[in-house]
Amino acid sequence: MRKPFAKDALKQLAEQNGVCVRPLALRRTDTATGLTEVVEVPCGATLAAKCKPCAERGRRLRIQQIREGWHLADEPAVRPDKPGEDVLALVRVRAHLEFEREALRYQPMAPDERAAQIADVDAAIVELDEALAETSLRGHLTPKERDERPRRKRSTRRRQDSPDLPRLPVAPRTVGRAYSGKAGKTHRPSMLITLTLGSHGPVHSHLRRGAYVAPCECGQRHARPV
């Protein structure tokens, strides 16, 4: 009776190596090749009595989230760092080149000569922009009328026969809204719930449990959508 159980030895070995002691076996089928394999995923338990490695992994994750500010009650004050002297030197040289480029437009000279000199100044500005891109400086200093980068265009047109979607005011904040409970506690939910309106009609689902197709809420068994 004093001999250890094989199950306890396996559980102790899994805990020492940080492996889930109650993995969930999921069957994964490749729709292209038809190959089926069993994949084991951690159970994700939050109690050490159920699974010590998963509970420890979740605890470390919560510590990291708190360290990164996931549980802040106030908006974080993010202030950009001041540019260094090397960045200021590059911006200073670029400002002088911009001044020279603008001065060339008013100096009396031949059009071809003016165009050649402006092209030389533009080439020097491009080299400075490449040097600035390697630093920690954000943003662009090139005016919009001279920016030759292709603009990304996205179509926002909607069908004319579709009703207008409801719009809610958007607040410039990252912290969620807090609610006061009955006992005086403050709750800040972090769950996103998607609701289907009643005017949309009933939603039917294809419920498959292995080889058995379970009936939907309407009482019928629906085929898998294509």
Short mmCIF file of all heavy atoms in Angstrom, two decimals, residues 106-159:
data_model
loop_
_atom_site.label_atom_id
_atom_site.label_comp_id
_atom_site.label_asym_id
_atom_site.label_seq_id
_atom_site.Cartn_x
_atom_site.Cartn_y
_atom_site.Cartn_z
N TYR A 106 12.92 82.02 -56.37
CA TYR A 106 12.81 83.46 -56.59
C TYR A 106 14.11 84.08 -57.12
O TYR A 106 14.14 85.27 -57.39
CB TYR A 106 12.44 84.15 -55.26
CG TYR A 106 11.12 83.68 -54.71
CD1 TYR A 106 11.09 82.70 -53.70
CD2 TYR A 106 9.91 84.17 -55.18
CE1 TYR A 106 9.88 82.24 -53.19
CE2 TYR A 106 8.70 83.72 -54.68
CZ TYR A 106 8.69 82.76 -53.68
OH TYR A 106 7.50 82.30 -53.18
N GLN A 107 15.15 83.30 -57.24
CA GLN A 107 16.40 83.83 -57.78
C GLN A 107 16.32 83.90 -59.30
O GLN A 107 15.81 82.97 -59.94
CB GLN A 107 17.58 82.98 -57.34
CG GLN A 107 17.87 83.03 -55.86
CD GLN A 107 19.07 82.18 -55.47
OE1 GLN A 107 19.72 81.58 -56.34
NE2 GLN A 107 19.36 82.14 -54.17
N PRO A 108 16.84 84.97 -59.91
CA PRO A 108 16.80 85.07 -61.38
C PRO A 108 17.82 84.11 -62.02
O PRO A 108 19.02 84.24 -61.82
CB PRO A 108 17.17 86.54 -61.64
CG PRO A 108 17.95 86.95 -60.44
CD PRO A 108 17.41 86.18 -59.28
N MET A 109 17.30 83.15 -62.75
CA MET A 109 18.14 82.18 -63.46
C MET A 109 17.30 81.48 -64.51
O MET A 109 16.07 81.65 -64.55
CB MET A 109 18.76 81.16 -62.49
CG MET A 109 17.74 80.29 -61.78
SD MET A 109 18.51 79.09 -60.69
CE MET A 109 19.21 80.18 -59.43
N ALA A 110 17.96 80.71 -65.35
CA ALA A 110 17.26 79.99 -66.41
C ALA A 110 16.38 78.89 -65.79
O ALA A 110 16.74 78.32 -64.75
CB ALA A 110 18.25 79.40 -67.40
N PRO A 111 15.25 78.57 -66.43
CA PRO A 111 14.38 77.52 -65.87
C PRO A 111 15.07 76.17 -65.74
O PRO A 111 14.87 75.44 -64.76
CB PRO A 111 13.20 77.47 -66.84
CG PRO A 111 13.18 78.82 -67.49
CD PRO A 111 14.61 79.24 -67.58
N ASP A 112 15.91 75.82 -66.75
CA ASP A 112 16.59 74.53 -66.68
C ASP A 112 17.60 74.50 -65.54
O ASP A 112 17.73 73.49 -64.82
CB ASP A 112 17.30 74.24 -68.00
CG ASP A 112 16.30 74.10 -69.16
OD1 ASP A 112 15.11 73.82 -68.86
OD2 ASP A 112 16.71 74.26 -70.32
N GLU A 113 18.30 75.59 -65.34
CA GLU A 113 19.27 75.64 -64.25
C GLU A 113 18.57 75.60 -62.90
O GLU A 113 19.03 74.93 -61.96
CB GLU A 113 20.10 76.93 -64.36
CG GLU A 113 21.19 77.04 -63.31
CD GLU A 113 21.97 78.33 -63.44
OE1 GLU A 113 21.66 79.12 -64.38
OE2 GLU A 113 22.88 78.55 -62.61
N ARG A 114 17.42 76.31 -62.77
CA ARG A 114 16.66 76.26 -61.52
C ARG A 114 16.17 74.84 -61.23
O ARG A 114 16.24 74.36 -60.09
CB ARG A 114 15.49 77.23 -61.58
CG ARG A 114 14.65 77.23 -60.29
CD ARG A 114 13.45 78.13 -60.37
NE ARG A 114 13.84 79.53 -60.38
CZ ARG A 114 13.78 80.33 -61.44
NH1 ARG A 114 13.35 79.85 -62.61
NH2 ARG A 114 14.15 81.60 -61.36
N ALA A 115 15.66 74.16 -62.26
CA ALA A 115 15.17 72.79 -62.05
C ALA A 115 16.30 71.86 -61.64
O ALA A 115 16.11 70.96 -60.79
CB ALA A 115 14.50 72.29 -63.33
N ALA A 116 17.51 72.03 -62.22
CA ALA A 116 18.63 71.17 -61.87
C ALA A 116 19.07 71.40 -60.42
O ALA A 116 19.33 70.43 -59.67
CB ALA A 116 19.80 71.42 -62.82
N GLN A 117 19.12 72.66 -59.99
CA GLN A 117 19.52 72.94 -58.62
C GLN A 117 18.48 72.46 -57.61
O GLN A 117 18.82 71.95 -56.54
CB GLN A 117 19.78 74.44 -58.45
CG GLN A 117 20.98 74.96 -59.24
CD GLN A 117 21.30 76.40 -58.92
OE1 GLN A 117 20.83 76.94 -57.93
NE2 GLN A 117 22.13 77.03 -59.76
N ILE A 118 17.21 72.62 -57.96
CA ILE A 118 16.15 72.13 -57.06
C ILE A 118 16.22 70.61 -56.95
O ILE A 118 16.01 70.02 -55.87
CB ILE A 118 14.78 72.59 -57.55
CG1 ILE A 118 14.62 74.12 -57.35
CG2 ILE A 118 13.66 71.87 -56.82
CD1 ILE A 118 13.30 74.67 -57.85
N ALA A 119 16.55 69.93 -58.07
CA ALA A 119 16.67 68.47 -58.03
C ALA A 119 17.82 68.04 -57.12
O ALA A 119 17.71 67.05 -56.38
CB ALA A 119 16.87 67.93 -59.44
N ASP A 120 18.94 68.79 -57.15
CA ASP A 120 20.06 68.47 -56.26
C ASP A 120 19.68 68.66 -54.79
O ASP A 120 20.02 67.83 -53.94
CB ASP A 120 21.26 69.35 -56.61
CG ASP A 120 21.80 69.06 -58.00
OD1 ASP A 120 21.53 67.95 -58.51
OD2 ASP A 120 22.47 69.94 -58.57
N VAL A 121 18.96 69.74 -54.50
CA VAL A 121 18.53 69.97 -53.13
C VAL A 121 17.54 68.88 -52.68
O VAL A 121 17.60 68.39 -51.55
CB VAL A 121 17.92 71.37 -52.98
CG1 VAL A 121 17.36 71.58 -51.58
CG2 VAL A 121 18.96 72.44 -53.30
N ASP A 122 16.62 68.47 -53.58
CA ASP A 122 15.67 67.41 -53.24
C ASP A 122 16.39 66.10 -52.96
O ASP A 122 15.99 65.33 -52.06
CB ASP A 122 14.66 67.23 -54.37
CG ASP A 122 13.68 68.39 -54.45
OD1 ASP A 122 13.56 69.13 -53.45
OD2 ASP A 122 13.05 68.56 -55.52
N ALA A 123 17.46 65.81 -53.72
CA ALA A 123 18.22 64.58 -53.46
C ALA A 123 18.89 64.63 -52.08
O ALA A 123 18.92 63.62 -51.36
CB ALA A 123 19.27 64.39 -54.56
N ALA A 124 19.41 65.80 -51.70
CA ALA A 124 20.00 65.93 -50.37
C ALA A 124 18.94 65.79 -49.27
O ALA A 124 19.20 65.20 -48.21
CB ALA A 124 20.72 67.27 -50.25
N ILE A 125 17.74 66.32 -49.53
CA ILE A 125 16.66 66.19 -48.55
C ILE A 125 16.24 64.73 -48.39
O ILE A 125 15.95 64.27 -47.27
CB ILE A 125 15.47 67.07 -48.96
CG1 ILE A 125 15.84 68.56 -48.83
CG2 ILE A 125 14.24 66.78 -48.12
CD1 ILE A 125 14.75 69.50 -49.31
N VAL A 126 16.21 64.00 -49.49
CA VAL A 126 15.86 62.57 -49.41
C VAL A 126 16.88 61.80 -48.58
O VAL A 126 16.53 60.93 -47.78
CB VAL A 126 15.73 61.99 -50.83
CG1 VAL A 126 15.60 60.47 -50.78
CG2 VAL A 126 14.53 62.59 -51.55
N GLU A 127 18.17 62.12 -48.75
CA GLU A 127 19.19 61.46 -47.95
C GLU A 127 19.02 61.78 -46.46
O GLU A 127 19.18 60.90 -45.60
CB GLU A 127 20.58 61.90 -48.42
CG GLU A 127 20.92 61.43 -49.83
CD GLU A 127 22.30 61.88 -50.26
OE1 GLU A 127 22.97 62.55 -49.43
OE2 GLU A 127 22.71 61.57 -51.39
N LEU A 128 18.67 63.03 -46.16
CA LEU A 128 18.43 63.37 -44.75
C LEU A 128 17.20 62.67 -44.20
O LEU A 128 17.17 62.25 -43.03
CB LEU A 128 18.28 64.88 -44.61
CG LEU A 128 19.59 65.69 -44.59
CD1 LEU A 128 19.28 67.18 -44.55
CD2 LEU A 128 20.45 65.30 -43.41
N ASP A 129 16.16 62.53 -45.02
CA ASP A 129 14.96 61.81 -44.57
C ASP A 129 15.28 60.35 -44.28
O ASP A 129 14.73 59.76 -43.33
CB ASP A 129 13.86 61.92 -45.62
CG ASP A 129 13.25 63.31 -45.67
OD1 ASP A 129 13.41 64.06 -44.68
OD2 ASP A 129 12.63 63.65 -46.70
N GLU A 130 16.14 59.74 -45.09
CA GLU A 130 16.53 58.36 -44.81
C GLU A 130 17.33 58.26 -43.51
O GLU A 130 17.18 57.29 -42.76
CB GLU A 130 17.36 57.83 -45.99
CG GLU A 130 16.57 57.68 -47.28
CD GLU A 130 17.44 57.22 -48.44
OE1 GLU A 130 18.68 57.10 -48.23
OE2 GLU A 130 16.91 56.98 -49.53
N ALA A 131 18.17 59.26 -43.26
CA ALA A 131 18.91 59.26 -41.98
C ALA A 131 17.97 59.49 -40.80
O ALA A 131 18.14 58.87 -39.74
CB ALA A 131 20.00 60.33 -42.01
N LEU A 132 16.95 60.34 -40.98
CA LEU A 132 15.98 60.56 -39.91
C LEU A 132 15.11 59.33 -39.67
O LEU A 132 14.64 59.11 -38.55
CB LEU A 132 15.11 61.78 -40.24
CG LEU A 132 15.77 63.15 -40.12
CD1 LEU A 132 14.85 64.23 -40.67
CD2 LEU A 132 16.13 63.45 -38.67
N ALA A 133 14.86 58.56 -40.73
CA ALA A 133 14.04 57.36 -40.57
C ALA A 133 14.73 56.31 -39.71
O ALA A 133 14.07 55.47 -39.08
CB ALA A 133 13.70 56.77 -41.94
N GLU A 134 16.06 56.33 -39.65
CA GLU A 134 16.79 55.38 -38.82
C GLU A 134 16.83 55.80 -37.36
O GLU A 134 17.25 55.01 -36.52
CB GLU A 134 18.21 55.23 -39.35
CG GLU A 134 18.28 54.66 -40.77
CD GLU A 134 19.70 54.58 -41.29
OE1 GLU A 134 20.61 55.01 -40.56
OE2 GLU A 134 19.89 54.07 -42.41
N THR A 135 16.43 57.02 -37.04
CA THR A 135 16.38 57.47 -35.65
C THR A 135 15.01 57.16 -35.05
O THR A 135 14.17 56.52 -35.67
CB THR A 135 16.67 58.98 -35.59
OG1 THR A 135 15.67 59.69 -36.32
CG2 THR A 135 18.04 59.29 -36.20
N SER A 136 14.81 57.63 -33.83
CA SER A 136 13.53 57.40 -33.14
C SER A 136 12.51 58.49 -33.40
O SER A 136 11.50 58.57 -32.69
CB SER A 136 13.79 57.30 -31.63
OG SER A 136 14.41 58.48 -31.14
N LEU A 137 12.73 59.33 -34.41
CA LEU A 137 11.80 60.43 -34.69
C LEU A 137 10.58 59.91 -35.41
O LEU A 137 10.69 59.10 -36.34
CB LEU A 137 12.50 61.50 -35.55
CG LEU A 137 11.77 62.83 -35.71
CD1 LEU A 137 11.71 63.56 -34.38
CD2 LEU A 137 12.48 63.69 -36.75
N ARG A 138 9.40 60.36 -35.01
CA ARG A 138 8.15 59.96 -35.65
C ARG A 138 7.64 61.09 -36.53
O ARG A 138 7.89 62.26 -36.28
CB ARG A 138 7.09 59.62 -34.60
CG ARG A 138 7.37 58.37 -33.80
CD ARG A 138 6.22 58.08 -32.87
NE ARG A 138 6.04 59.14 -31.87
CZ ARG A 138 5.01 59.20 -31.03
NH1 ARG A 138 4.05 58.30 -31.10
NH2 ARG A 138 4.93 60.17 -30.15
N GLY A 139 6.86 60.72 -37.54
CA GLY A 139 6.26 61.71 -38.41
C GLY A 139 7.12 62.01 -39.63
O GLY A 139 8.24 61.48 -39.80
N HIS A 140 6.59 62.86 -40.51
CA HIS A 140 7.26 63.24 -41.75
C HIS A 140 7.35 64.76 -41.81
O HIS A 140 6.45 65.48 -41.38
CB HIS A 140 6.51 62.70 -42.97
CG HIS A 140 6.35 61.21 -42.95
ND1 HIS A 140 7.34 60.35 -43.35
CD2 HIS A 140 5.30 60.43 -42.56
CE1 HIS A 140 6.91 59.10 -43.22
NE2 HIS A 140 5.68 59.13 -42.74
N LEU A 141 8.45 65.25 -42.38
CA LEU A 141 8.67 66.68 -42.52
C LEU A 141 8.42 67.17 -43.93
O LEU A 141 8.47 68.37 -44.18
CB LEU A 141 10.12 67.02 -42.11
CG LEU A 141 10.49 66.67 -40.66
CD1 LEU A 141 11.96 66.97 -40.42
CD2 LEU A 141 9.62 67.43 -39.69
N THR A 142 8.15 66.28 -44.87
CA THR A 142 7.91 66.68 -46.25
C THR A 142 6.50 67.25 -46.38
O THR A 142 5.53 66.65 -45.89
CB THR A 142 8.07 65.49 -47.20
OG1 THR A 142 9.37 64.91 -46.99
CG2 THR A 142 7.94 65.91 -48.64
N PRO A 143 6.32 68.40 -47.01
CA PRO A 143 4.96 68.94 -47.21
C PRO A 143 4.09 68.00 -48.03
O PRO A 143 4.58 67.17 -48.81
CB PRO A 143 5.22 70.27 -47.94
CG PRO A 143 6.63 70.62 -47.63
CD PRO A 143 7.36 69.33 -47.48
N LYS A 144 2.78 68.12 -47.86
CA LYS A 144 1.86 67.23 -48.55
C LYS A 144 1.91 67.39 -50.06
O LYS A 144 1.75 66.42 -50.80
CB LYS A 144 0.43 67.48 -48.05
CG LYS A 144 0.22 67.11 -46.58
CD LYS A 144 -1.22 67.34 -46.17
CE LYS A 144 -1.44 66.96 -44.71
NZ LYS A 144 -2.85 67.17 -44.29
N GLU A 145 2.11 68.61 -50.54
CA GLU A 145 2.12 68.80 -51.99
C GLU A 145 3.35 68.19 -52.65
O GLU A 145 3.36 67.99 -53.86
CB GLU A 145 2.06 70.29 -52.33
CG GLU A 145 3.20 71.12 -51.75
CD GLU A 145 2.88 71.65 -50.37
OE1 GLU A 145 1.85 71.21 -49.81
OE2 GLU A 145 3.65 72.50 -49.88
N ARG A 146 4.38 67.86 -51.87
CA ARG A 146 5.58 67.25 -52.42
C ARG A 146 5.73 65.78 -52.03
O ARG A 146 6.70 65.14 -52.38
CB ARG A 146 6.82 68.02 -51.96
CG ARG A 146 7.00 69.35 -52.67
CD ARG A 146 8.03 70.21 -51.98
NE ARG A 146 9.17 69.44 -51.52
CZ ARG A 146 9.99 69.85 -50.55
NH1 ARG A 146 9.77 71.01 -49.95
NH2 ARG A 146 11.02 69.11 -50.19
N ASP A 147 4.77 65.27 -51.28
CA ASP A 147 4.83 63.87 -50.87
C ASP A 147 4.36 62.99 -52.02
O ASP A 147 3.19 63.05 -52.42
CB ASP A 147 3.96 63.64 -49.63
CG ASP A 147 4.25 62.32 -48.97
OD1 ASP A 147 5.07 61.55 -49.50
OD2 ASP A 147 3.65 62.04 -47.91
N GLU A 148 5.25 62.18 -52.57
CA GLU A 148 4.94 61.34 -53.73
C GLU A 148 4.55 59.93 -53.33
O GLU A 148 4.44 59.07 -54.20
CB GLU A 148 6.14 61.30 -54.67
CG GLU A 148 6.54 62.66 -55.23
CD GLU A 148 7.74 62.58 -56.14
OE1 GLU A 148 8.30 61.46 -56.25
OE2 GLU A 148 8.12 63.61 -56.73
N ARG A 149 4.39 59.67 -52.06
CA ARG A 149 3.99 58.32 -51.66
C ARG A 149 2.54 58.06 -52.05
O ARG A 149 1.68 58.94 -51.91
CB ARG A 149 4.15 58.15 -50.15
CG ARG A 149 5.58 58.21 -49.65
CD ARG A 149 5.62 58.12 -48.16
NE ARG A 149 4.83 59.19 -47.56
CZ ARG A 149 4.50 59.23 -46.28
NH1 ARG A 149 4.88 58.26 -45.47
NH2 ARG A 149 3.81 60.24 -45.80
N PRO A 150 2.24 56.85 -52.54
CA PRO A 150 0.84 56.56 -52.92
C PRO A 150 -0.08 56.51 -51.71
O PRO A 150 0.26 55.94 -50.67
CB PRO A 150 0.95 55.19 -53.59
CG PRO A 150 2.19 54.58 -53.03
CD PRO A 150 3.14 55.71 -52.76
N ARG A 151 -1.21 57.16 -51.84
CA ARG A 151 -2.17 57.18 -50.75
C ARG A 151 -3.03 55.92 -50.77
O ARG A 151 -3.42 55.42 -51.83
CB ARG A 151 -3.08 58.40 -50.87
CG ARG A 151 -2.36 59.73 -50.72
CD ARG A 151 -3.35 60.88 -50.82
NE ARG A 151 -4.39 60.76 -49.82
CZ ARG A 151 -5.45 61.56 -49.75
NH1 ARG A 151 -5.60 62.53 -50.65
NH2 ARG A 151 -6.37 61.39 -48.82
N ARG A 152 -3.31 55.41 -49.57
CA ARG A 152 -4.16 54.23 -49.45
C ARG A 152 -5.62 54.67 -49.45
O ARG A 152 -6.06 55.45 -48.59
CB ARG A 152 -3.83 53.48 -48.16
CG ARG A 152 -2.40 52.95 -48.10
CD ARG A 152 -2.14 52.22 -46.81
NE ARG A 152 -3.05 51.10 -46.65
CZ ARG A 152 -3.07 50.32 -45.57
NH1 ARG A 152 -2.26 50.57 -44.56
NH2 ARG A 152 -3.91 49.30 -45.50
N LYS A 153 -6.37 54.18 -50.43
CA LYS A 153 -7.77 54.55 -50.57
C LYS A 153 -8.63 53.35 -50.23
O LYS A 153 -8.43 52.26 -50.74
CB LYS A 153 -8.06 55.03 -51.99
CG LYS A 153 -7.30 56.29 -52.39
CD LYS A 153 -7.66 56.73 -53.79
CE LYS A 153 -6.91 57.98 -54.20
NZ LYS A 153 -7.25 58.41 -55.58
N ARG A 154 -9.59 53.58 -49.36
CA ARG A 154 -10.51 52.52 -48.96
C ARG A 154 -11.92 52.97 -49.27
O ARG A 154 -12.31 54.10 -48.98
CB ARG A 154 -10.38 52.22 -47.46
CG ARG A 154 -9.01 51.63 -47.10
CD ARG A 154 -8.93 51.38 -45.62
NE ARG A 154 -7.65 50.81 -45.25
CZ ARG A 154 -7.05 50.97 -44.09
NH1 ARG A 154 -7.63 51.74 -43.19
NH2 ARG A 154 -5.91 50.41 -43.81
N SER A 155 -12.66 52.08 -49.85
CA SER A 155 -14.03 52.40 -50.22
C SER A 155 -14.93 52.29 -48.99
O SER A 155 -14.92 51.29 -48.27
CB SER A 155 -14.52 51.44 -51.31
OG SER A 155 -15.87 51.69 -51.62
N THR A 156 -15.68 53.34 -48.72
CA THR A 156 -16.61 53.36 -47.59
C THR A 156 -18.07 53.45 -48.05
O THR A 156 -18.94 53.77 -47.26
CB THR A 156 -16.28 54.55 -46.67
OG1 THR A 156 -16.35 55.76 -47.44
CG2 THR A 156 -14.89 54.41 -46.07
N ARG A 157 -18.29 53.15 -49.31
CA ARG A 157 -19.66 53.23 -49.82
C ARG A 157 -20.49 52.05 -49.32
O ARG A 157 -20.01 50.92 -49.22
CB ARG A 157 -19.65 53.24 -51.35
CG ARG A 157 -19.00 54.47 -51.96
CD ARG A 157 -19.12 54.44 -53.47
NE ARG A 157 -20.52 54.37 -53.89
CZ ARG A 157 -20.91 54.21 -55.15
NH1 ARG A 157 -20.01 54.12 -56.11
NH2 ARG A 157 -22.20 54.15 -55.44
N ARG A 158 -21.72 52.31 -48.99
CA ARG A 158 -22.65 51.29 -48.53
C ARG A 158 -23.80 51.20 -49.51
O ARG A 158 -24.06 52.10 -50.30
CB ARG A 158 -23.17 51.61 -47.13
CG ARG A 158 -22.08 51.69 -46.08
CD ARG A 158 -22.64 52.03 -44.71
NE ARG A 158 -23.50 50.96 -44.20
CZ ARG A 158 -24.80 51.05 -44.06
NH1 ARG A 158 -25.43 52.16 -44.39
NH2 ARG A 158 -25.50 50.04 -43.58
N ARG A 159 -24.49 50.10 -49.43
CA ARG A 159 -25.64 49.91 -50.31
C ARG A 159 -26.71 50.94 -49.96
O ARG A 159 -26.94 51.25 -48.79
CB ARG A 159 -26.18 48.50 -50.15
CG ARG A 159 -25.21 47.42 -50.61
CD ARG A 159 -25.81 46.04 -50.43
NE ARG A 159 -27.12 45.94 -51.07
CZ ARG A 159 -27.86 44.83 -51.07
NH1 ARG A 159 -27.43 43.74 -50.44
NH2 ARG A 159 -29.02 44.81 -51.67
#
